[in-house]
Amino acid sequence: MAAVLAFYRKSWRLTNQLPRAEAMYYRGHLRNHVANRREEEDEDRVRSMLERAEEDLKWLSNKYELRLPEWPCDRVTESAERHKFLCKKKKINPK
């Protein structure tokens, strides 16, 4: 669930760069997508959905020529230990 929330935050930050109408559209789509799949418990399925969502996010950033937000972990599916390691390396407080 932590990876899903991290991806949600990353996506929300990306939509800040969009014009208001487009931002509201993509935020609503994102919110509905996360809410509809909240009950998913299969880790492999969640991982595959996150990988697909990551590709969609890259597509969106290319379509509107957006800069992906700064993120300690490029891949949200990395383990928590890897996240903490990268945060220490970049001297960021892990959340």
Side-chain angles (χ1 to χ4, degrees):
M1 187 63 171
V4 174
L5 292 176
F7 178 78
Y8 185 79
R9 286 191 300 269
K10 180 179 180 179
S11 302
W12 195 270
R13 288 185 188 116
L14 182 70
T15 60
N16 284 336
Q17 301 173 44
L18 292 170
R20 180 145 175 87
E22 285 86 354
M24 297 305 291
Y25 169 78
Y26 285 110
R27 286 177 178 174
H29 179 74
L30 176 64
R31 188 179 315 111
N32 289 337
H33 189 74
V34 171
N36 290 339
R37 288 153 182 84
R38 183 177 303 185
E39 301 299 322
E40 185 65 53
E41 294 180 2
D42 183 17
E43 289 184 28
D44 290 333
R45 177 97 171 108
V46 171
R47 188 179 354 267
S48 69
M49 285 190 290
L50 283 173
E51 288 171 359
R52 170 62 193 208
E54 193 72 38
E55 291 173 13
D56 292 345
L57 193 63
K58 287 178 185 175
W59 174 84
L60 181 66
S61 67
N62 289 334
K63 178 181 178 181
Y64 289 99
E65 298 178 355
L66 306 175
R67 186 180 61 82
L68 287 172
E70 289 297 319
W71 200 252
C73 301
D74 257 356
R75 308 264 319 158
V76 295
T77 56
E78 291 181 332
S79 68
E81 283 73 23
R82 178 80 176 137
H83 174 73
K84 289 177 185 176
F85 169 78
L86 290 172
C87 289
K88 284 181 184 178
K89 188 174 177 181
K90 294 183 178 185
K91 299 180 181 172
I92 300 171
N93 289 331
K95 295 179 182 176

